[in-house]
Amino acid sequence: MATDDPRPAGRTDESHPSLLEERIDGESVFQGKLLKVYRDRVRAPDGHEQTFEYTLHPGAAVVIPMLDDGRLVLERQWRYPLNRSFLEFPAGKLNPGEDPLEAVRRELAEETGYRAAEWAKLGEMHPVIAYSTEVIHLFMAKGMVAGESAREKGECLELVVMSPEALFDAIYSGEVTDSKTLSCAVWLDRILRGVWQPVWKTLPL
Amino acid sequence: MATDDPRPAGRTDESHPSLLEERIDGESVFQGKLLKVYRDRVRAPDGHEQTFEYTLHPGAAVVIPMLDDGRLVLERQWRYPLNRSFLEFPAGKLNPGEDPLEAVRRELAEETGYRAAEWAKLGEMHPVIAYSTEVIHLFMAKGMVAGESAREKGECLELVVMSPEALFDAIYSGEVTDSKTLSCAVWLDRILRGVWQPVWKTLPL
């Protein structure tokens, strides 16, 4: 089944036209609940024809939640594909059309019970540019207030509160390897040293 | 078609048995050239039954290549799923059974022409724990010697040499968002400040 181009609009990248890979045609090869897989025929800049397989993703958001005493709230959660648990910052997929900040506030409250008064957008991250359209929006939160979580059925996790130095030790030792958590750590390290300044805004709890 | 469990052996995680999601059964739903998609029925720790879709991946390796003058070698490459180019550290998939260090030395030479005398393993990163088994091995290389690249057909890229500070500026501005490059940046920042010490070994060029 031939399809119209399902990919994001992309970027003009007018300074790099010599790299552009041109879509010839494509088809949907698997439409699952999470994964929507396409296979496209593509012409490379050198004229070589290849196929690319990739999945569409609605995007996600992650947050570095910092308590008033400077410690961080992380989650330990089973990650089925890798058959083990991971230590990671709270995150979740965007609902269709959902604003990333709204999504991450919702996920933080649902998964941890915490609400936060101060929020800063840090940046964006693409976890897997070779085979997914996923983008993850990175946030930091302060002014945290504990409350009741409202996890979905099957969403089982443990909250782990740790200092930034304990987090960096856990990265160094190989205990923390999740890409969104590592990406947040770039920002955390430089924010704590005062090299980068987030722009905070206050929101109603 | 029911299949045996195709996932990695995982980790015992004996300290977190309460999080374990148990496989009931599963099937292959798409076997492509790159993506090998499975859909499994899974029982969560709270007894709730759900399905997970995920793809198998052979693993990959990425390197921070540092020239004698301290500048870094990156690549600008078109990433078809996102319909734009990205600035990223050199990386590539492992061939079946290939040692990650051998794979990344091969990829660095093929893609950039550079060979390096000194290598350090930094850590590992999981780009997309929600729907792929991929693990990326992180390395750093010094003692770089330029040479001829040997790119495959269709592998079109531009080399970009930049200082570490220019890289961090590009992360802060949102120009660099690739997860493996951001994960390397956590290490790079702390190595350059002397907080983390890589263990170097010298290899024949």
Side-chain angles (χ1 to χ4, degrees), chain B residues 78-119:
Chain B
W78 199 264
R79 291 303 194 161
Y80 181 79
L82 286 149
N83 203 9
R84 47 163 286 201
S85 70
F86 281 84
L87 196 56
E88 47 185 296
F89 281 126
K93 278 200 304 287
L94 310 188
N95 291 326
E98 191 178 26
D99 176 71
L101 176 56
E102 289 313 305
V104 78
R105 294 175 77 198
R106 174 179 56 69
E107 291 283 354
L108 180 67
E110 284 175 6
E111 294 184 356
T112 73
Y114 280 100
R115 285 163 176 78
E118 293 183 78
W119 289 86

Side-chain angles (χ1 to χ4, degrees), chain A residues 101-102 105 116-121 140-143 199-205:
Chain A
L101 175 56
E102 289 313 305
R105 293 175 78 199
E118 293 184 77
W119 289 85
K121 173 86 186 263
M140 187 167 178
K142 295 193 307 189
V199 179
W200 294 101
K201 62 176 170 183
T202 304
L203 295 174
L205 291 176

Side-chain angles (χ1 to χ4, degrees), chain B residues 158-179:
Chain B
E158 292 171 4
L159 293 192
V160 178
V161 176
M162 61 200 301
S163 70
E165 270 322 299
L167 173 62
F168 285 106
D169 288 348
I171 294 171
Y172 187 67
S173 73
E175 170 67 14
V176 168
T177 60
D178 166 50
S179 72

Side-chain angles (χ1 to χ4, degrees), chain B residues 176-191:
Chain B
V176 168
T177 60
D178 166 50
S179 72
K180 64 184 178 301
T181 303
L182 292 179
S183 299
C184 285
V186 181
W187 290 82
L188 179 66
D189 200 355
R190 296 177 85 83
I191 288 168

Side-chain angles (χ1 to χ4, degrees), chain A residues 14-129:
Chain A
E14 292 184 7
S15 54
H16 309 283
S18 63
L19 297 175
L20 194 148
E21 292 171 338
E22 192 185 357
R23 183 177 191 270
I24 301 167
D25 56 23
E27 57 180 348
S28 162
V29 290
F30 175 68
Q31 294 291 311
K33 201 176 149 197
L34 171 65
L35 299 181
K36 320 283 182 186
V37 182
Y38 292 81
R39 179 172 49 205
D40 291 5
R41 284 198 307 148
V42 175
R43 190 170 293 113
D46 62 3
H48 185 67
E49 194 180 307
Q50 26 194 176
T51 61
F52 283 108
E53 297 158 359
Y54 59 95
T55 185
L56 299 188
H57 192 282
V62 62
V63 58
I64 306 173
M66 182 173 276
L67 300 172
D68 290 348
D69 65 5
R71 290 182 305 158
L72 310 166
V73 178
L74 287 90
E75 302 173 354
R76 180 172 288 282
Q77 201 176 349
W78 199 265
R79 291 303 195 160
Y80 181 79
L82 287 148
N83 204 10
R84 47 162 286 201
S85 70
F86 281 84
L87 195 57
E88 47 185 296
F89 281 126
K93 278 200 302 289
L94 311 187
N95 291 327
E98 191 177 27
D99 176 70
L101 175 56
E102 289 313 305
V104 79
R105 293 175 78 199
R106 175 179 55 70
E107 290 284 353
L108 180 67
E110 285 175 5
E111 293 184 356
T112 73
Y114 280 100
R115 286 165 175 78
E118 293 184 77
W119 289 85
K121 173 86 186 263
L122 304 180
E124 297 179 5
M125 184 273 269
H126 292 88
V128 53
I129 56 183

